[in-house]
Amino acid sequence: MSRKYPAFLNLENKNVLLIGGGKVALEKLPHLIDCGAKVSVITLDACSEVRSILNVHPEIKIEYRAVEFSDLQGRALVFSATNDSELNRRLSDYAHSWKIWINCADNPSNCDFYSAAVFDRGPIRVAVSTEGSFAGLSGIVKSTLDELIPEEHEAEFRDLIEFRKELKSILPDAEKRKKALKDLILSLKEEYFKLLSGQRTI
């Protein structure tokens, strides 16, 4: 079986449908909000955590009813997060007939794409995936990254991005700029991991 192509999707202002309002939907919703998607939720009911999110995001359209196949039309992406495997399969078949990409929470074989465990540190974003086969393992890798690079380093990463932008005016020559950045990264790598090693031995 071929491996999946890793990519980050630009979903800003894209029409995304989330079907379901339970714990699985709760995992998807914050990331969809964060990326600026136009989210619609259709569910028979919603857990208290999902309701809390919806209460502070009135821009999300919520309908408490059974989903219909026609609800999928015109969507950029669909997330089927119901606990009904047969419904998820039928929704997947319908989405594929309309060439709409869908993610079904309970069956990787029905998915056109997979969600990932996401590690964020300022401008750096790392997505960890087992392609739907073992989400818990992805979570462990993410937790390891959280320990390796704590939140207090976020400002430093942002400063590096700003420095790179400023360097274009300081060093207009592309080759000299490339060498300066490479030297900086190597120096940071050595000092950073030396610091981490020292922290582990304490």
Side-chain angles (χ1 to χ4, degrees):
M1 183 177 179
S2 60
R3 305 202 71 178
K4 304 300 180 288
Y5 184 83
F8 285 91
L9 301 179
N10 178 8
L11 293 182
E12 187 172 8
N13 294 319
K14 298 294 194 304
N15 192 341
V16 176
L17 175 63
L18 176 60
I19 305 165
K23 300 298 183 181
V24 176
L26 179 62
E27 295 175 1
K28 316 293 184 186
L29 198 51
H31 292 299
L32 290 172
I33 294 170
D34 188 48
C35 70
K38 289 183 177 179
V39 184
S40 297
V41 179
I42 297 177
T43 182
L44 293 173
D45 195 8
C47 66
S48 59
E49 294 92 340
V50 168
R51 288 180 181 271
S52 295
I53 292 174
L54 295 174
N55 285 339
V56 296
H57 288 278
E59 74 277 10
I60 297 176
K61 182 181 179 182
I62 172 71
E63 296 183 65
Y64 291 100
R65 61 173 176 80
V67 67
E68 300 176 1
F69 290 144
S70 59
D71 292 319
L72 276 63
Q73 295 181 15
R75 311 290 182 172
L77 284 181
V78 175
F79 290 84
S80 183
T82 80
N83 58 6
D84 186 333
S85 298
E86 177 59 20
L87 174 60
N88 288 342
R89 185 194 63 77
R90 290 163 56 209
L91 289 169
S92 176
D93 289 345
Y94 186 84
H96 292 156
S97 72
W98 281 87
K99 295 181 170 52
I100 300 168
W101 282 26
I102 188 170
N103 173 278
C104 287
D106 67 340
N107 192 340
S109 65
N110 287 332
C111 294
D112 296 302
F113 62 97
Y114 302 109
S115 298
V118 179
F119 168 81
D120 279 308
R121 282 297 178 269
I124 296 177
R125 168 164 277 203
V126 179
V128 184
S129 173
T130 58
E131 299 186 356
S133 59
F134 193 172
L137 181 57
S138 299
I140 289 173
V141 174
K142 176 186 177 296
S143 297
T144 302
L145 289 172
D146 282 326
E147 294 176 7
L148 183 66
I149 309 175
E151 289 185 4
E152 55 261 34
H153 292 267
E154 184 169 318
E156 296 172 8
F157 288 131
R158 293 190 185 279
D159 289 343
L160 279 173
I161 297 297
E162 290 303 314
F163 175 73
R164 182 182 181 276
K165 293 177 181 177
E166 294 173 4
L167 198 61
K168 288 187 176 182
S169 59
I170 300 171
L171 280 178
D173 184 278
E175 288 303 316
K176 290 181 179 179
R177 187 168 65 247
K178 182 178 179 181
K179 183 180 185 305
L181 288 170
K182 183 178 180 180
D183 291 343
L184 174 61
I185 293 297
L186 288 174
S187 175
L188 285 172
K189 178 182 175 183
E190 292 174 1
E191 291 300 317
Y192 188 76
F193 285 101
K194 186 187 300 180
L195 174 63
L196 288 176
S197 298
Q199 289 176 342
R200 290 197 185 98
T201 57
I202 293 174

